[in-house]
Amino acid sequence: MSLRVAAENLPMLGDGAAENLVVLVREYDEESDKTAVEEMEKRCEVGQRGKPSLVTDLLGDPICRVRQFPSHVMLVAEYYGGGEIVGVIRACVKTVTRGGNSAAVAYILGLRVSPAHRRLGIGTKLVQEIEEWCKQKGAEYAYMATDCTNEPSINLFTRKCSYTKFRTLSMLVQPVHAHYKTIGSGIAIVRLTPKLAGTLYRGVFGNSAEFFPKDIDTILSSKLNLGTFMAMPKKSLPKWDPKTGILPSSFALLSVWNTKEVFKLQVKGVSMFKYACCVGSRLLDSWMPWLRLPSFPDVFRQFGVYFLHGLYKEGNSASRLLKALCAFAHNMAKDDDGCGAVVAEVGHLDPVRDVIPHWRKFSWAEDLWCIKKMGDDEKQNDDESCEPFDWMKSRPPSPVIFVDPRDF
């Protein structure tokens, strides 16, 4: 990958006067930058005193969040000549479908600027430079995701970088208890082959859902994808033949992605009282699992997360079937030592949203996605009488958004 460098004179306030410094934005070099990037990101992880904070450990691989994409990059900002890393940003480019149309989109994530070097324009410069890289890779749109309360990030992208608030999603978090969840009687759960799962997903999502990845087969065949599962009434199982392509009258689908092999999380800064309550609930649940107490996992040590994607339901009993699949995924996580939560992210109006079990206190009701059209020139259709497709101006084909597990 060729080295791309950009230098920018930025004002830095010091002793009441503006000083000039030169910041270099270039591609990340694993051999020379790894230690400096890890140290800088640790400084960014420091939470507010007296308030809990969620700390991420990238397991010694700063680029792990985008490494699963064939086309990805990480840029760093450093003082020219001094070599100090003061900012990072990551991005990937992929092709997704949207109501029968396809587009190359860039996902921008992991923007960090050292606390001592904020409000100097470094974040803006990092976004601008990574957008240029994305354009060179053919991206037609770029999008980012953040919590709706993260005003600094929202203001940076919408006010300074011309992004538009686009979609609102819900991040639903289910802690992993010490007891198993019941699946329910009369329900059969079948593990699908990656090939069959890809065929089913293209059938139910390909022409309706937004952001459905064209390389869905790559996702489903990844070692991080622990499987795709279908739930149906047991009475339908003998009649179902996947070779015919005819689906049961009622069924549900989901896939499980293992993020604990990519990064781990840890909660810090909680009071001793809250810590004791959480530990106590876990002990009681372990000692008396038949009570099925809603215990809290040990998130005060590093823990992993299972991410549920491709959730779909159809038919009269589909809600019950999807709940059974979520319970099945929870039990998978319980059997995996160190997995503390099962997470799903779905569109705010997605029919599956109200079915997915979650703890409201630990979930995000509004995860905001912002989008930007790359470049000023619109792509022209072969038929000049047709209006060029503009994702940002058209109405969504459905409330379903397929969240790529590699984005999580």
Side-chain angles (χ1 to χ4, degrees), residues 6 39 57 83 111 143 182 229 261 298 360 366 393 396 406:
E39 291 176 353
D57 183 353
L111 171 62
Y143 73 102
T182 56
F229 305 92
E261 300 301 321
D298 185 2
R360 186 174 300 176
E366 295 186 4
K393 295 179 181 178
R406 298 170 295 184

Side-chain angles (χ1 to χ4, degrees), residues 176-306:
V176 176
H177 304 312
H179 64 268
Y180 289 103
K181 286 181 169 287
T182 56
I183 302 299
S185 61
I187 296 176
I189 295 179
V190 180
R191 183 186 182 119
L192 306 179
T193 65
K195 183 178 180 181
L196 178 57
T199 300
L200 293 181
Y201 276 145
R202 278 186 287 270
V204 298
F205 290 126
N207 292 320
S208 59
E210 291 189 294
F211 291 92
F212 182 72
K214 190 174 182 180
D215 63 343
I216 184 66
D217 294 315
T218 300
I219 295 173
L220 300 175
S221 300
S222 170
K223 65 180 182 179
L224 297 178
N225 198 69
L226 300 182
T228 300
F229 305 92
M230 172 187 280
M232 68 184 78
K234 280 186 177 179
K235 62 182 180 181
S236 299
L237 185 59
K239 305 175 185 177
W240 179 58
D241 183 358
K243 296 179 181 178
T244 65
I246 301 174
L247 294 169
S249 58
S250 287
F251 69 96
L253 293 170
L254 66 70
S255 297
V256 182
W257 187 264
N258 183 12
T259 69
K260 63 178 286 196
E261 300 301 321
V262 180
F263 62 87
K264 291 188 177 180
L265 303 172
Q266 183 178 5
V267 175
K268 293 186 176 182
V270 298
S271 67
M272 289 301 297
F273 175 74
K274 288 184 178 179
Y275 175 81
C277 289
C278 293
V279 172
S281 73
R282 191 72 176 181
L283 288 173
L284 285 174
D285 193 13
S286 299
W287 292 340
M288 296 177 285
W290 59 89
L291 295 179
R292 304 192 183 282
L293 299 173
S295 62
F296 202 73
D298 185 2
V299 296
F300 311 108
R301 293 184 294 179
Q302 288 193 344
F303 67 96
V305 169
Y306 278 3

Side-chain angles (χ1 to χ4, degrees), residues 47 121 160 209 219 266 351 380 389:
K160 296 184 179 180
I219 295 173
Q266 183 178 5
Q380 297 296 320
F389 171 71

Side-chain angles (χ1 to χ4, degrees), residues 94 96-99 143-145 165-170 201 204-206 208-213 307-312 344-353 356 367-371 391 396-405 407:
K94 57 185 176 179
V96 300
T97 61
R98 189 262 188 202
Y143 73 102
M144 55 76 70
K165 295 179 182 180
F166 189 58
R167 298 287 183 263
T168 302
L169 293 87
S170 298
Y201 276 145
V204 298
F205 290 126
S208 59
E210 291 189 294
F211 291 92
F212 182 72
F307 183 75
L308 308 184
H309 63 102
L311 296 98
Y312 180 81
E345 186 172 16
V346 297
H348 206 51
L349 299 176
D350 192 316
V352 305
R353 182 187 182 278
I356 301 170
D367 191 40
L368 179 65
W369 287 18
C370 299
I371 197 169
W391 196 346
S398 80
V400 178
I401 299 172
F402 192 101
V403 179
D404 192 322
D407 290 355

Side-chain angles (χ1 to χ4, degrees), residues 25-74:
V25 178
R26 58 171 177 80
E27 289 191 23
Y28 166 77
D29 180 87
E30 186 169 14
E31 184 175 346
S32 60
D33 296 333
K34 182 173 178 289
T35 300
V37 167
E38 289 178 334
E39 291 176 353
M40 190 278 296
E41 294 204 291
K42 284 181 181 178
R43 294 196 296 271
C44 295
E45 292 277 13
V46 177
Q48 294 179 298
R49 182 174 295 179
K51 292 186 177 182
S53 60
L54 187 64
V55 177
T56 305
D57 183 353
L58 300 180
L59 306 181
D61 183 11
I63 207 168
C64 66
R65 294 286 308 279
V66 292
R67 194 180 290 280
Q68 299 298 319
F69 295 92
S71 182
H72 64 267
V73 74
M74 176 173 169

